[in-house]
Amino acid sequence: MPHRSTPGPRFGIWALVHGSRAARQDPDEPYDASWARNRALVLEAEALGFDAVLVAQHTVNPHDGRSPQLEAWTASAALAALTSRIEIIAAIKPKLYHPAVLAKLALGIEEISGGRFAINLVNAWNRPELERAGIDFGEHDARYAYGHEWIRVVEPLLRGERVTHAGPHFHLDGYQLSPASAWRSRPRIYVGGESEPARALAADYGDTWFINGQPLADVQGLIADLRSRPRADRPPLRFGLSAFVIARETDAQAEAEHARLHALAALDEPERAAAQVHIDPQAAMFATFAKSPRVGSNGGTAAGLVGSYDTVARRIADFHAAGIVLFMLQFQPFETEMRRFAAEVLPRVRALTAA
């Protein structure tokens, strides 16, 4: 049975900020990271009943540095104005924005959206993105120490509190932002990353911890670890899972599509190898990814959401019983498979979790 504090499952999509999530040379999904496509995608996702969209933050494309890349925060502000129900989650790398500036941006989008905005605090892993802009990349744990102080400043600013702070990186003297949220105490804070510093940050400041796609037993262990950590007077931490979905009428059909995407993804190997030298070797998520073959980003199909409609629905229900509340999903071709999931899998999940 689900943990007593686990609400019903929610479903979100990854915005296509840098195009295809699994294979860049798929004839069924030409590379397209345009605002026009993302606008249409998110509006359709909202109409189909999806609950959230995650807008990943990259100033330059992490795959090759040359391909188009949608900017996360301007896009999130525009989506806030265009949508009416879906939660908009914008990722943020602390070294790119001073906490006072970021908190003001977040409160602005909170107002535009009518209380539907959230930030996703992530640690940078792509070295050139910062270093080529003259920003110190730093060592893994040092970046998390910076991020810990950063969110310590951002959170009370999001609440509209007057903040005085003197730390290694930031100094604020009676700084206060107005207006604060008219709908709640502050926008939600999601935290990504599975290293020990990331887990500590999630326990201290997160509302929801995002877990990269991986098998159920591994996810259960991660949830148990975070649930064992003190939360002071904060509500219980919630959990989200990234996963790539391949659902068909039969398990065999789904596995055949999985094999097709694997073969297409192999064509991208030279590009991945070239990008590998820029990845921080201490980034825990890449060690997670190396455990099993997969397609998709952030764990992708390693979560096992590949199979018949009934198979995928049962596996989602099992993850939900373990404590996953928000499933942040990827598809390819994205629009076609998102529609299939909404029509075939969502009703089955609702029935299982209601029962």
Side-chain angles (χ1 to χ4, degrees), residues 256-315:
E257 175 61 12
H258 196 193
R260 184 188 79 90
L261 288 174
H262 261 299
L264 286 169
L267 300 177
D268 299 329
E269 184 55 38
E271 180 182 275
R272 285 195 295 269
Q276 188 71 29
V277 299
H278 302 307
I279 292 173
D280 180 1
Q282 291 185 283
M285 69 175 181
F286 293 99
T288 299
F289 300 166
K291 291 180 181 179
S292 60
R294 61 180 174 81
V295 297
S297 68
N298 293 80
T301 52
L305 301 189
V306 177
S308 70
Y309 304 139
D310 288 329
T311 295
V312 172
R314 284 195 302 270
R315 289 175 181 168

Side-chain angles (χ1 to χ4, degrees), residues 178-198:
S178 181
S181 177
W183 295 270
R184 50 191 173 168
S185 62
R186 60 158 172 77
R188 282 189 184 135
I189 298 172
Y190 291 80
V191 177
E194 294 168 17
S195 66
E196 177 53 36

Side-chain angles (χ1 to χ4, degrees), residues 4-330:
R4 63 181 180 275
S5 64
T6 304
R10 302 173 66 232
F11 297 92
I13 62 163
W14 285 73
L16 294 174
V17 295
H18 46 66
S20 309
R21 305 303 308 194
R24 288 162 63 87
Q25 301 183 53
D26 185 352
D28 293 337
E29 183 171 71
Y31 186 93
D32 184 357
S34 67
W35 160 246
R37 183 187 187 188
N38 278 277
R39 175 186 183 277
L41 175 70
V42 175
L43 287 172
E44 182 174 9
E46 182 175 63
L48 289 171
F50 285 87
D51 303 291
V53 56
L54 176 57
V55 188
Q57 184 191 43
H58 301 283
T59 52
V60 294
N61 190 291
H63 297 301
D64 60 17
R66 302 180 305 275
S67 297
Q69 175 68 49
L70 190 69
E71 200 286 310
W73 281 69
T74 50
S76 294
L79 290 171
L82 291 169
T83 55
S84 60
R85 183 189 57 80
I86 199 166
E87 182 182 28
I88 299 159
I89 308 169
I92 176 64
K93 297 166 185 169
K95 287 205 171 185
L96 293 178
Y97 288 90
H98 187 280
V101 175
L102 186 283
K104 184 62 175 176
L105 290 171
L107 288 174
I109 304 176
E110 171 81 349
E111 183 173 5
I112 293 167
S113 69
R116 295 180 289 117
F117 186 62
I119 67 171
N120 176 29
L121 180 58
V122 296
N123 189 26
W125 53 262
N126 185 27
R127 185 178 297 273
E129 181 178 26
L130 296 181
E131 290 187 340
R132 289 177 182 169
I135 301 170
D136 177 52
F137 186 71
E139 180 269 335
H140 179 274
D141 289 4
R143 293 199 307 279
Y144 269 106
Y146 183 98
H148 207 280
E149 184 183 351
W150 185 93
I151 194 64
R152 182 182 171 191
V153 174
V154 166
E155 189 197 34
L157 288 172
L158 291 177
R159 295 183 187 278
E161 298 174 8
R162 188 174 300 278
V163 176
T164 296
H165 173 88
H169 304 103
F170 306 110
H171 291 77
L172 288 85
D173 182 11
Y175 211 91
Q176 187 173 25
L177 299 175
S178 181
S181 177
W183 295 270
R184 50 191 173 168
S185 62
R186 60 158 172 77
R188 282 189 184 135
I189 298 172
Y190 291 80
V191 177
E194 294 168 17
S195 66
E196 177 53 36
R199 298 183 196 197
L201 195 155
D204 288 346
Y205 289 102
D207 300 311
T208 298
W209 185 41
F210 271 138
I211 300 170
N212 290 306
Q214 51 200 289
L216 177 61
D218 294 346
V219 169
Q220 289 171 323
L222 292 170
I223 289 175
D225 175 53
L226 266 291
R227 278 182 173 161
S228 71
R229 300 184 183 222
R231 290 277 290 169
D233 58 349
R234 295 179 183 275
L237 185 66
R238 293 184 178 181
F239 302 94
L241 181 73
S242 177
F244 192 104
V245 177
I246 303 176
R248 293 291 186 275
E249 290 186 1
T250 68
D251 290 337
Q253 290 172 342
E255 291 297 344
E257 175 61 12
H258 196 193
R260 184 188 79 90
L261 288 174
H262 261 299
L264 286 169
L267 300 177
D268 299 329
E269 184 55 38
E271 180 182 275
R272 285 195 295 269
Q276 188 71 29
V277 299
H278 302 307
I279 292 173
D280 180 1
Q282 291 185 283
M285 69 175 181
F286 293 99
T288 299
F289 300 166
K291 291 180 181 179
S292 60
R294 61 180 174 81
V295 297
S297 68
N298 293 80
T301 52
L305 301 189
V306 177
S308 70
Y309 304 139
D310 288 329
T311 295
V312 172
R314 284 195 302 270
R315 289 175 181 168
I316 289 173
D318 289 342
F319 276 112
H320 178 249
I324 297 298
V325 172
L326 178 57
F327 294 83
M328 194 56 62
L329 304 179
Q330 303 172 13

